Amino acid sequence: MATSLKHAQFLTDSRVADAALGDADACYELGMVYSSGAAGIGVDLIEAHKWFNLAAVAGSEIAKDCRRDIAEDMTAREIAAAQAAARAVLVSRQRRAA
């Protein structure tokens, strides 16, 4: 059990690294992890929305649909928090690129 959790954490960490660089697939996959609670991570709709939003910005059409679907289960405050978190990632990317 511990080995599978460590493996899941490693995979999630590697996807975070790819997502931080703007990989749309990695962002989408993280959205799926957080929206479903997979890989030993609890469901977190704010994080899921953030990653789906970033995937959508990077061109993922399916991420747009997923973002819309989970937004139906979120409050306006939660959506605003997710959007702010996504903007922070985008600003961070811009700073690294400069």
Side-chain angles (χ1 to χ4, degrees):
M1 175 82 169
T3 302
S4 62
L5 286 177
K6 286 181 183 178
H7 180 69
Q9 187 61 49
F10 172 77
L11 290 175
T12 302
D13 290 346
S14 69
R15 297 316 285 161
V16 168
D18 293 339
L21 297 173
D23 182 313
D25 291 334
C27 291
Y28 171 77
E29 290 171 15
L30 286 169
M32 292 302 294
V33 166
Y34 282 104
S35 66
S36 67
I41 294 174
V43 172
D44 184 336
L45 295 183
I46 294 172
E47 277 294 304
H49 191 284
K50 173 184 89 174
W51 290 115
F52 285 140
N53 198 22
L54 291 166
V57 167
S60 173
E61 291 298 320
I62 194 165
K64 291 177 186 179
D65 294 335
C66 293
R67 179 184 59 194
R68 184 182 57 247
D69 290 345
I70 66 167
E72 293 175 5
D73 296 326
M74 298 171 70
T75 66
R77 183 170 285 166
E78 289 171 328
I79 293 169
Q83 290 171 334
R87 278 191 300 276
V89 171
L90 292 172
V91 167
S92 176
R93 284 182 194 161
Q94 290 173 342
R95 285 185 183 144
R96 269 186 295 201

